[in-house]
């Protein structure tokens, strides 16, 4: 049975090695916060493993050795009892010391996390059932532009994110960069993250928030400062004008039907505020908080039937003919 | 009933043993009719019902777990819908915590504590019957709602605003909150019974310093229940009020606060996990000496450890809220306090190891579960220490790492000792042994299945898998591990299945046990298996912490209790010196009627606040029926 | 197992009083449960107050009249309550009958005042969180008044029946009196919180 256990555990460890490295793993840090935390995780794991092994060894020996003595169950030998008292005492003191050290280490690690700095990029992130609204703030904390579900950040610069929510509790967690922090209605939280390397990091919503909690992901795209600036400048612009008849028709439908009641497309008549900003929709990599990759096909699929793709989400199915759908998806795909 | 006049004065010393037994059985017994069955207040019958019911809820909760595992076995699996999955995991958690783990421990105590302290019935036996019925009603309510597809879907702690008036649709969250009320009432009632039984009804000489450790654990547990449960009563009542009559406790727009709910819940919720754990500790401390063939090492240390854990457990609740953005300094305090609680836990482990080390361990089936407990609980406790670190927890909170932690402590720390306890006390309950061979298989299957199921969850958590997701994307790379876990959970389930088969089989066909098959030292083994309705022919007198080991030949007992009325001995709190002969109530149908009327009121109040007013009237009537003197011998002082 | 008799209990009293009786302990346990409940609601109140920029939220502090009246009535009721307890210990049925009638009246009086107390809060439960928590606190205490009144009435009726003259009844009366002390004692901090914290 023991070997079965070991084999099994080994197997599952192997299966997981894929997960240790990856775009959503606490063990694959890409920023200083997450790196601190990984040290901490390994340290605690090491201590825990040691303690566990020690306890198991003692247990094993204890049941293996058969203590001699009288057959009567109550007879105790005083010297043995004294030895046991001593051993238990030592172990208890050792426990206190180890725990005190772990507490101290943990406390120090807290201090090292999330230092605010002057030149930080500042973002306001709001959680909604089941998507994220990101507002990039200017130097005076004024809103400069709004986007959804994807954050771009410059490599090497700290980014402070103000977290809030209007509906239920969500939680911001991009494990490769930092630990998590909740978005709580009526409370304002803040977290600082820094990415050391360019890359795309994924963050699932980490507090149960209802039906589609499982499909509420956020992406952080860390890129070199120059690219980040380029991206930011592009995002500040209003939406691209439709190029061609089909896109024109698409725009008309989007701004003329229910879509506009919920979505904003800057530079058009669509000014809804209860749904993701679509101004630069097509510049994003994923659709609907990580549900689908951003392609024209998936845009069409989404608009045609959002409830099958992400059951229960807050976008209704808007009845459109096939032609209309084609036009809409063409237009949406042009919103780079 | 004055004709009973002189018969009432009949004292046990006047009768020969055989006749005495018959007369006592008549006084204390439960008839064979349906009404008698529904009216009984015998702690053993009620306790047995409680135990069986709780294990049925374990099976139901386990089946839900298997459903979840089936859904999670593959990425983007469409076996369960999001809505259904959310109900399933909420039901699994709520059912396991409120309908299985807490009640099963209380159930064991209801059965065992009066026997262990040497009395004839639990204190307030009618309240005890009531608490069982109300618990059953709560369980049925919850499961009926689930089968009607309106089961709660907000997680076992039902955070607002998700469960609040705006986002919690339909009556789902109300069902959850009301189920809490049911189980609270029953848990509080049992806690009071246990406290009073332990304080006042111990056999002469069973001073606090000789009390079996299981009794100590239950005493501390009961105090935890008494002090912790009011917090959740307030949390769930406020939630219902917010939903039903428009109060704003948790509505930030009107001065309420979302985190208030979390504080209230966890002020209860953290002690809750020790309410589940401490009785299991007591079982370990009881089983271990029997099979180590020596008294437990460090009795005093163990008692103090249990008390310390009980007290400290009220200072830890914020460790469930480390990522809510509370001030860092405050959070660090809760890291420290969570670490502190590991010290008494460690002391317990060390004392048990010392007991084994200097004992002559016999590895019978109950003992195997204790060994399994060691391996798993220590691991789970250590991951508890990990998540107690604020910064570390920010990475693993609400991931499968935490799921792994709490299954290690809940199953490894509580369910394993419980299974061991069932193997250990089964002969006492039924008069028959469970199969030793089956026991070994169960222990092996459950232990291996458990670890294969839950160990990989630590890694999944670190690899970024959040909990409470009904599915995940294939590109996350968690598919293999999840499949492995789901398959392993079948091994675990097979272990449980075998356990249930063995138990059912042994009731009928197990080898006859005799009074004390394990040569165990505590009082419950001094009487027949199963014990007669009056528990002990004569109340024993206790001269040591291990009465049946010190008194190997004959048991010192008392005489002088009356036969024709239900009489129990009341003793002093510390020394257990006899003080009075008190009556113990007769069987009564009113506890059941009270439970029924209460159930009507509670369910009705989900729909209308007026239910509280009108529904109270029948409850009042039932209570008057309950307490109105019936002129029985018990009522004549 | 064979037995040997070592202790004869037949001379023990048939009924214990105070800490010798199990119901006394039961009563204390319930007092502990409910006292914790009150403490938690007071905690909720103070917590919400500490979060609010101004407390009370959008309302004047409650008028003092009825609440103070309840306080006075309850404090005065401690006297007959004490007497009932004494008489119960002395098995004085005649006096107890009178005492219980008085206690029933003392149970009704605060409820009458309570009817004026709710309006004197100057806020409804569904206006804001301040209203919610004040109503909860007051409501919780009111249920205690009502349930204890109910119990007192039943005991009073019992005293006038053939079940009245019974050691056991007297024990119940003592426990009921003990509980009434608790209802009184609980009101003092609640009164302070409800009426004086908003005036701080
Ligand atoms: C039986 C139940 C049980 C028990 C006993 C414990 C025991 C402990 N738990 Fe656990 N816990 C739960 C049940 C339990 N827990 C549940 C159900 C949840 C999740 C709720 C939810 O979110 O759904 C939870 C969640 C939970 C959290 C929140 C995690 C999160 O949500 O992010 C934390 C954080 O501090 C924690 C800590 C601890 C600690 C420090 C202990 C300690 O008591 C452990 C102490 C024991 C040991 C440490 C082992 C023995 C000691 C030695 C051998 C001595 C040597 C040791 C050292 C030197 C370290 N638990
Ligand atoms: C004591 C409590 C307890 C117990 C025993 C269990 C037992 C199990 N739990 Fe449980 N679990 C919780 C308490 C418990 N759990 C809690 C509190 C949560 C959190 C909920 C929340 O987030 O709100 C949780 C959450 C939870 C999750 C996370 C869900 C999510 O976040 O999405 C998972 C996932 O795998 C899981 C799995 C299991 C498994 C496989 C078992 C297995 O051990 C089950 C094994 C038992 C059986 C399989 C029954 C076997 C019997 C039969 C098959 C017999 C059949 C029939 C007859 C005899 C007639 N549990
Ligand atoms: Cu948002 Cu979970
Ligand atoms: Cu906890």
């Amino acid at each position: 049975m023991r070997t079965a256990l070991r084999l099994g555990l080994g197997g599952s460890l192997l299966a997981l090695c894929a997960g240790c490295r990856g775009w959503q793993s606490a063990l694959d840090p890409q920023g200083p916060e997450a790196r601190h935390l990984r040290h901490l995780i390994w340290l605690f794991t090491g201590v825990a493993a040691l303690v566990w092994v020690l306890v198991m060894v003692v247990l094993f020996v204890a049941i293996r050795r058969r203590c001699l003595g009288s057959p009567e169950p109550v007879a105790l030998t005083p010297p043995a009892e004294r030895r046991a008292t001593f051993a238990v005492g030592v172990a208890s003191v050792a426990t206190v010391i180890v725990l005190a050290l772990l507490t101290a280490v943990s406390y120090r690690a807290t201090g090292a996390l999330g230092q605010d700095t002057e030149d930080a990029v500042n973002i306001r992130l709001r959680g909604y059932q089941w998507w994220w609204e990101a507002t990039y703030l200017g130097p005076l904390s004024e809103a400069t532009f709004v986007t959804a579900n994807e954050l771009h950040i410059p490599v090497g610069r700290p980014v402070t994110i103000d977290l809030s929510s209007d509906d239920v509790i969500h939680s911001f967690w991009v494990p490769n960069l930092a630990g998590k922090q909740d978005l709580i209605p009526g409370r304002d939280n803040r977290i600082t993250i820094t990415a050391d390397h360019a890359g795309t990091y994924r963050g699932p919503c980490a507090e149960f928030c209802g039906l589609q909690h499982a499909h509420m992901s956020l992406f952080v795209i860390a890129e070199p400062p120059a690219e980040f600036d380029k991206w930011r400048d592009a995002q500040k612009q209003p939406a691209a004008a439709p190029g061609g008849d089909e896109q024109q028709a698409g725009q008309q439908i989007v701004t003329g039907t229910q879509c506009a009641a919920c979505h904003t497309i800057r530079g058009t008549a669509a000014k809804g505020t209860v749904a993701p900003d679509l101004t630069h929709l097509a510049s994003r990599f994923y659709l609907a908080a990580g549900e689908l990759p951003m392609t024209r096909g998936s845009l069409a699929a989404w608009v045609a039937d959002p409830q099958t793709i992400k059951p229960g989400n807050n976008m209704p199915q808007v009845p459109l003919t096939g032609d209309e759908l084609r036009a809409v998806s063409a237009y949406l795909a042009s919103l780079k | 009933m004055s004709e009973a006049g002189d018969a009432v004065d009949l004292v046990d010393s006047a009768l020969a043993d055989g006749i005495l037994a018959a007369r006592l059985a008549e006084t204390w017994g439960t008839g064979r009719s349906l009404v008698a069955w529904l009216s009984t207040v015998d702690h053993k019958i009620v306790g047995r019902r409680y135990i069986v019911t709780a294990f049925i809820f374990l099976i139901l909760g386990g089946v839900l777990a298997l459903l979840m595992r089936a859904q999670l076995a593959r990425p983007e699996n469409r076996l369960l819908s999001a809505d259904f999955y959310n109900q399933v995991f909420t039901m699994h958690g709520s059912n396991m915590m409120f309908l299985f783990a807490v009640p099963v421990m209380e159930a064991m105590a209801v059965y065992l504590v009066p026997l262990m302290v040497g009395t004839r019935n639990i204190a307030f036996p009618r309240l005890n019957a009531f608490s069982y019925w109300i618990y059953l009603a709560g369980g049925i309510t919850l499961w009926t709602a689930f089968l009607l597809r309106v089961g709660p879907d907000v997680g076992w702690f039902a955070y607002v605003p998700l469960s609040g008036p705006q986002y919690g649709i339909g009556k789902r969250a109300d069902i959850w909150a009301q189920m809490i009320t049911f189980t609270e009432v029953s848990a509080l009632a049992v806690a009071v019974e246990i406290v009073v039984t332990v304080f006042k009804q111990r056999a002469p000489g069973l001073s606090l310093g000789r009390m079996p450790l299981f009794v100590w654990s239950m005493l501390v547990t009961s105090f935890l229940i008494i002090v912790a449960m009011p917090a959740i009563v307030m949390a769930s009542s406020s939630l219902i009020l917010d939903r039903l009559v428009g109060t704003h406790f948790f509505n930030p727009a009107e001065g309420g606060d979302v985190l208030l709910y979390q504080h209230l819940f966890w002020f209860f919720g953290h002690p809750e996990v020790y309410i589940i754990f401490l009785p299991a500790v007591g079982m370990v401390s009881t089983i271990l000496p029997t099979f180590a063939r020596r008294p437990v090492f460090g009795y005093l240390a163990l008692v103090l450890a249990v008390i310390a854990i009980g007290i400290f457990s009220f200072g830890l609740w914020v460790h469930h809220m480390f990522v809510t953005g509370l001030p860092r300094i405050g959070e660090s305090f809760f890291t420290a306090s969570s670490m502190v609680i590991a010290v008494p836990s460690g002391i317990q482990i060390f004392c048990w190891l010392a007991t084994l080390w200097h004992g002559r361990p016999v590895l019978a089936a109950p003992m195997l579960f204790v060994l399994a407990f060691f391996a798993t609980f220590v691991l789970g406790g250590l991951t508890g220490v990990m998540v107690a670190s604020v910064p570390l927890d920010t990475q693993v909170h609400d991931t499968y790492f935490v799921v792994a932690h709490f299954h290690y402590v809940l199953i490894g720390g509580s369910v394993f000792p419980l299974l061991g306890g069932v193997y250990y006390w089964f002969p006492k309950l039924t008069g028959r042994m469970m199969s030793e061979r089956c026991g070994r298989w169960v222990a092996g299957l459950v232990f291996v299945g458990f670890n294969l199921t839950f160990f990989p969850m630590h890694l999944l958590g670190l690899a970024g898998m959040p909990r409470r997701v009904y599915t995940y994307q294939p590109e996350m790379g968690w598919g293999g591990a999840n499949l492995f876990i789901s398959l392993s959970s079948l091994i675990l389930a097979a272990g449980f299945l075998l356990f249930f088969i063995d138990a059912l089989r042994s009731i009928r066909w197990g080898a006859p046990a005799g009074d004390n098959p394990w040569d165990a030292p505590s009082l419950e083994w001094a009487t027949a298996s199963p014990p007669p309705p009056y528990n002990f022919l004569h109340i024993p007198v206790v001269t040591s912490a291990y009465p049946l080991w010190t008194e190997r030949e004959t048991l010192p007992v008392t005489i002088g209790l009356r036969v024709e009325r239900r009489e129990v001995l009341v003793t002093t709190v510390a020394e257990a010196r006899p003080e009075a002969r008190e009556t113990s109530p007769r069987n009564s149908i009113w506890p059941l009627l009270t439970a029924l009327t209460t159930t009507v009121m509670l369910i009705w109040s989900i729909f209308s606040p007026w239910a509280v007013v009108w529904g109270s009237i029948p409850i009042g009537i039932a209570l008057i029926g309950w307490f109105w003197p019936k002129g029985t011998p018990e009522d004549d002082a | 197992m064979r037995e040997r008799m070592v202790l004869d209990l037949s001379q023990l009293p048939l009924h214990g009083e105070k800490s010798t009786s199990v119901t006394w302990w039961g009563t204390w346990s319930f007092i502990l449960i409910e006292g914790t409940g009150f403490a938690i609601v007071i905690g909720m109140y103070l917590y919400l107050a500490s979060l609010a920029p101004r407390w009370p939220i959008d309302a004047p502090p409650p008028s003092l009249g009825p609440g103070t009246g309840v306080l006075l009535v309850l404090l005065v009721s401690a006297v007959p309550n004490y007497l009932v307890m004494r008489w119960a210990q002395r098995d004085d049925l005649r006096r107890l009958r009178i005492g219980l009638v008085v206690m029933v009246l003392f149970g009704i009086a605060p409820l009458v005042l309570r009817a004026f107390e709710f309006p004197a809060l100057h806020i409804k439960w569904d206006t804001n969180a301040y209203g919610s928590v004040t109503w909860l606190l007051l409501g919780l205490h009111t249920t205690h008044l009502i349930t204890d009144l109910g119990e007192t009435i039943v005991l009073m009726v019992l005293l006038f029946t053939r079940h009245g003259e019974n050691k056991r009844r007297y024990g119940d009366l003592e426990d009921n009196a003990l509980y009434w002390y608790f209802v009184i004692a609980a009101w003092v901090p609640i009164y302070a919180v409800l009426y004086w914290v908003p005036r701080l």
Side-chain angles (χ1 to χ4, degrees), chain B residues 266 269-274 313 316-320 338 405:
Chain B
W266 290 116
H270 186 82
E272 157 94 344
V273 305
Y274 293 96
S313 70
L316 308 185
W317 79 95
V318 169
H319 73 201
H320 296 273
S338 307
H405 157 67

Side-chain angles (χ1 to χ4, degrees), chain A residues 47 51 55 94-96 98-99 102, chain B residues 97 156-157 266 270 273-274 276-277 316 319-320 322 338-339 341-343 345-347 349-350 377-385 387-389 393 396-398 402 405-406 409-410 413-414 467-468:
Chain A
V47 173
V51 172
V55 173
T95 303
V96 172
V98 170
L99 288 169
L102 289 179
Chain B
M97 300 301 269
W156 83 276
F157 33 77
W266 290 116
H270 186 82
V273 305
Y274 293 96
I276 295 169
F277 175 58
L316 308 185
H319 73 201
H320 296 273
F322 279 159
S338 307
M339 298 281 183
I341 209 155
V343 176
S345 307
I347 292 178
I349 300 278
F350 304 143
F377 169 70
V378 171
L379 205 161
L382 291 164
T383 56
V385 168
V387 291
S389 157
D393 189 49
V396 297
H397 173 72
D398 264 332
V402 171
H405 157 67
F406 67 72
V409 276
L410 284 169
S414 290
R467 64 193 279 203
R468 299 175 161 185

Side-chain angles (χ1 to χ4, degrees), chain B residues 147-171:
Chain B
L147 294 179
L148 297 176
R149 290 297 175 95
V150 286
D153 59 351
V154 286
W156 83 276
F157 33 77
Y159 277 176
V160 292
L162 189 60
S163 62
Q166 250 188 306
Y167 299 96
I169 52 167
K171 291 292 173 193

Side-chain angles (χ1 to χ4, degrees), chain A residues 11-12 16 44 47 58 86-87 107 120-121 123 125 136 148-149 156 173 178 189 192 280 287 293 313 318 333 336:
Chain A
S12 64
L16 266 163
F44 271 69
V47 173
V58 175
F86 181 72
Y107 185 73
V121 178
I123 304 173
L125 188 68
Y136 278 71
N149 298 336
W173 181 41
N189 282 334
T192 305
H280 297 288
L287 193 56
N313 88 83
V318 177
K336 286 285 182 197

Side-chain angles (χ1 to χ4, degrees), chain B residues 378-499:
Chain B
V378 171
L379 205 161
L382 291 164
T383 56
V385 168
M386 293 177 72
V387 291
S389 157
V390 177
L392 204 161
D393 189 49
T394 62
Q395 281 289 26
V396 297
H397 173 72
D398 264 332
T399 67
Y400 266 82
F401 190 91
V402 171
V403 175
H405 157 67
F406 67 72
H407 283 93
Y408 263 82
V409 276
L410 284 169
I411 299 183
S414 290
V415 177
F416 285 2
L418 175 71
L419 296 182
V422 170
Y423 270 89
Y424 182 65
W425 280 297
F426 191 90
K428 185 47 63 184
L429 267 83
T430 63
R432 290 175 187 278
M433 306 296 285
M434 285 174 79
S435 151
E436 183 70 24
R437 227 184 67 208
C438 271
R440 284 170 188 279
W441 273 99
V442 173
L445 282 173
V446 167
F447 179 69
V448 172
F450 172 83
N451 281 289
L452 295 182
T453 305
F454 289 98
F455 192 80
M457 288 190 190
H458 294 110
L459 305 167
L460 269 182
L462 291 171
M465 179 160 171
R467 64 193 279 203
R468 299 175 161 185
V469 290
Y470 76 100
T471 190
Y472 49 90
Q473 289 72 31
E475 63 268 26
M476 301 313 301
W478 304 323
N482 271 302
L483 181 63
F484 179 82
I485 289 171
S486 297
L487 291 175
S488 306
S489 70
L490 294 177
I491 305 181
L492 179 57
F496 275 106
L497 187 61
L498 186 62
F499 167 78

